[in-house]
């Protein structure tokens, strides 16, 4: 499993833990004193409004719409169930929640973030309102003939997990969850992971709709998954470099504040990267930076890797000396030098060096890096001073002809 897949799997840990907490909390919530029932039923509203507020603050239109859809679904369920569990309104509302809500959530996981206050956000909001209007029309005009066939499983349907949900609902939940999981692994963001968790939790809510207070409990946790996804995504954007996945410059600055005692800082620069970029184009240049970042992240020695900026990277080794890390840096330099990167034809066609009259073949290229390394001594103790010394050592490596490690 690659680093991106591991990262996506890690993002799913929080929704999974919240889902487990929801399962164990549902019976506990039902056992609370009757005088707390009102507060228990109010919890989903507060949680969903919190998720909407967090999403608005970080301009995550998809989560605003997802939380709004959950809010509308929960309000509709509460209102319809108050009319009686066997009424057409209650059955239609629960059926709509089982089918339309997961499909909406899965669609939002699949779509890219385009903001809320844009034509894209308006179009998505109108789609949600249109679905609500259709449900109201079905209820208002007593269209039992539409609801009944979908509510009853055909004879050939297999009774398995979530059997209390109609077959159409189980199919909708399965499809939506699969889409959200694929989106999570493809994009590697906590937003899609939060939506995936919300889909699974809403499925549990529909499955246990007849259990007292299970519905509000699961909806509350679904709201927390959405809010947590936004916060995790914001943290990632602040402390991780989007292109390489390494720690950002901000993360490096905070790491420097925590350093003391023995440590080593290494500065790494891709040799002649500007000329490489001018020849092959930015798309190929991005591939090179990701390749170098992958090697830097695997340097070993308990180091932490950061993208300093542009084509420069930084390694921080805590509790190490220069002699300890010198072999690791030499191995890193050699690994990058010996790595052959195959440039795809699609990327070559957009490069300045491409011949527009011919279909460009795949080309194998390689790059080298120069490395400067420094540690605290009698003249410099502050991490910022050591970083400056590593940068000076990097310049010496460049002056020596590049593709070398200098201290």
């Amino acid at each position: 499993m690659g680093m991106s897949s591991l990262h996506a799997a890690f993002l799913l840990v929080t929704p999974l833990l919240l889902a487990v907490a929801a399962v164990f909390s549902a019976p506990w919530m039902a056992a609370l004193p009757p005088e707390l029932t009102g507060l228990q039923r109010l919890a989903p509203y507060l949680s969903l409004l919190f998720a909407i507020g967090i999403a608005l603050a970080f301009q995550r239109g998809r989560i605003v719409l997802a939380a709004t859809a959950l809010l509308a679904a929960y309000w509709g369920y509460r209102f319809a169930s108050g009319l009686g569990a066997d009424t057409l309104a209650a059955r239609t509302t629960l059926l709509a929640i089982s089918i339309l809500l997961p499909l909406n959530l899965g669609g939002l996981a699949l779509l890219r973030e385009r903001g809320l206050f844009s034509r894209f956000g308006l179009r998505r909001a109108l789609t949600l309102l249109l679905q609500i209007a259709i449900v109201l029309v079905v209820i208002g005009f007593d269209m039992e003939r539409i609801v009944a066939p979908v509510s009853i499983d055909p004879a050939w349907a297999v009774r398995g997990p979530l059997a209390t949900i109609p077959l159409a609902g189980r199919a909708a939940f399965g499809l939506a969850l699969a889409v959200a999981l694929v989106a999570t692994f493809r994009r590697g963001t906590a937003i899609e992971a939060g939506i995936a968790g919300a889909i699974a939790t809403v499925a549990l809510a529909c499955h246990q709709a007849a259990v007292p207070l299970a519905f509000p409990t699961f909806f509350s946790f679904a709201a927390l998954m959405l809010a947590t996804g936004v916060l995790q995504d914001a943290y990632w954007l602040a402390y991780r470099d989007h292109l390489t996945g390494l720690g950002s410059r901000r993360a490096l600055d905070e790491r420097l504040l925590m350093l003391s005692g023995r440590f080593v800082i290494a500065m790494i620069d891709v040799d002649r990267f500007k000329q490489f970029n001018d020849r092959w184009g930015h798309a190929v240049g991005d591939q090179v930076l990701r390749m170098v970042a992958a090697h830097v992240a695997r340097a070993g020695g308990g180091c932490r890797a950061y993208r300093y900026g542009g084509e420069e990277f930084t390694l921080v080794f805590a509790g190490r000396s220069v002699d300890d890390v010198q072999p690791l840096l030499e191995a890193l330099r050699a690994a990058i030098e010996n790595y052959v990167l195959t440039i795809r034809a699609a990327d070559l066609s957009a490069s300045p060096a491409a011949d527009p009259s011919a279909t460009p073949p795949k080309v194998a290229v390689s790059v080298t890096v120069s490395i400067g390394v420094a540690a605290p001594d009698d003249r410099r103790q502050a991490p910022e001073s050591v970083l400056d010394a590593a940068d000076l050592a990097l310049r010496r490596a460049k002056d020596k002809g590049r593709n070398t490690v200098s201290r």
Side-chain angles (χ1 to χ4, degrees):
M1 184 180 290
M3 290 298 295
S4 59
S5 297
L6 286 173
H7 170 64
F10 176 77
L11 291 176
L12 291 169
V13 171
T14 299
L16 178 61
L17 292 176
L18 288 173
V20 172
V23 171
F24 283 99
S25 297
W28 178 77
M29 291 289 287
L32 288 177
E35 56 268 21
L36 296 179
T37 300
L39 179 61
Q40 295 159 359
R41 299 193 188 280
L42 187 63
Y45 292 116
L46 297 177
S47 301
L48 288 165
L49 289 174
F50 172 72
I52 291 173
I54 290 292
L56 285 172
F58 289 98
Q59 300 181 23
R60 293 294 179 264
R62 290 185 298 158
I63 296 300
V64 173
L65 292 175
T68 301
L70 285 170
L71 184 62
Y74 181 72
W75 180 87
Y77 167 79
R78 293 289 307 130
F79 178 80
S81 60
L83 301 176
D86 292 330
T87 62
L88 175 64
R91 289 185 288 109
T92 302
T93 301
L94 190 58
L95 185 64
I97 294 173
S98 301
I99 299 175
L100 297 180
L101 183 57
L103 293 179
N104 277 280
L105 294 176
L108 289 171
L110 185 63
L111 296 172
R112 292 192 174 275
E113 182 62 60
R114 298 295 185 91
L116 182 65
F117 304 104
S118 65
R119 72 175 186 274
F120 302 101
L122 179 61
R123 191 180 304 160
R124 295 169 186 178
L126 289 176
T127 302
L128 178 60
L129 290 174
L130 177 61
Q131 295 173 51
I132 295 174
I134 292 174
V135 173
L136 292 176
V137 168
V138 171
I139 296 174
F141 286 88
D142 198 19
M143 297 182 179
E144 178 73 31
R145 63 186 182 277
I146 296 178
V147 177
V150 186
S151 302
I152 301 173
D153 285 358
W156 50 263
V158 178
R159 306 288 290 179
L162 307 179
T164 58
I165 302 175
L167 177 62
R170 298 200 299 273
F173 277 117
L175 175 62
L177 183 59
V179 168
L181 290 175
V182 169
T184 301
F185 278 88
R186 288 191 62 182
R187 295 178 187 160
T189 75
I191 297 294
E192 286 77 18
I195 294 176
I199 293 170
T201 307
V202 171
L204 294 174
C206 294
H207 177 57
Q208 299 188 28
V211 178
L213 297 179
F215 211 84
T217 299
F218 284 116
F219 264 67
S220 297
F221 276 91
L224 291 178
M225 292 177 186
L226 296 179
T228 302
V230 174
L231 294 175
Q232 285 182 309
D233 186 61
Y235 174 86
W236 180 263
L237 291 176
Y239 289 94
R240 292 288 169 178
D241 176 64
H242 177 71
L243 177 65
T244 64
L246 298 182
S248 67
R249 179 69 177 273
R250 179 175 181 178
L252 172 62
D253 291 341
E254 294 196 6
R255 177 59 178 157
L256 293 179
L257 294 175
M258 295 184 286
L259 287 175
S260 62
R262 289 206 319 165
F263 63 89
V264 175
I265 296 178
M267 291 292 294
I268 303 160
D269 183 82
V270 182
D271 295 328
R272 296 186 176 89
F273 185 72
K274 185 179 183 303
Q275 293 92 319
F276 188 94
N277 235 9
D278 291 341
R279 179 181 182 186
W280 299 111
H282 292 289
V284 176
D286 287 348
Q287 290 185 48
V288 168
L289 292 177
R290 284 192 288 266
M291 179 272 292
V292 173
H295 281 87
V296 169
R298 299 193 298 265
C303 67
R304 294 192 182 184
Y306 306 87
R307 185 182 181 189
Y308 188 80
E311 66 272 21
E312 286 188 295
F313 302 88
T314 305
L315 283 174
V316 176
F317 299 84
R320 301 278 181 166
S321 67
V322 173
D323 291 336
D324 293 334
V325 306
Q326 184 89 19
L328 299 176
L329 296 177
E330 288 287 356
L332 171 63
R333 180 203 59 76
I336 294 174
E337 179 186 17
N338 295 326
Y339 188 88
V340 177
L341 180 68
T342 301
I343 304 175
R344 298 174 301 178
D347 293 329
L348 274 172
S349 63
S351 71
D355 180 3
S357 63
T359 301
K362 290 185 178 180
V363 174
V365 299
S366 61
V367 297
T368 61
V369 296
S370 298
I371 304 175
V373 58
D377 57 22
D378 294 337
R379 293 183 295 108
R380 52 176 183 264
Q381 293 290 329
E384 293 81 2
S385 300
V386 177
L387 181 66
D388 292 339
D391 193 52
L392 289 174
L394 174 61
R395 295 182 190 177
R396 290 194 292 271
K398 294 283 189 181
D399 293 340
K400 291 178 181 178
R402 299 180 174 84
N403 190 25
T404 188
V405 180
S406 178
R407 61 168 76 186

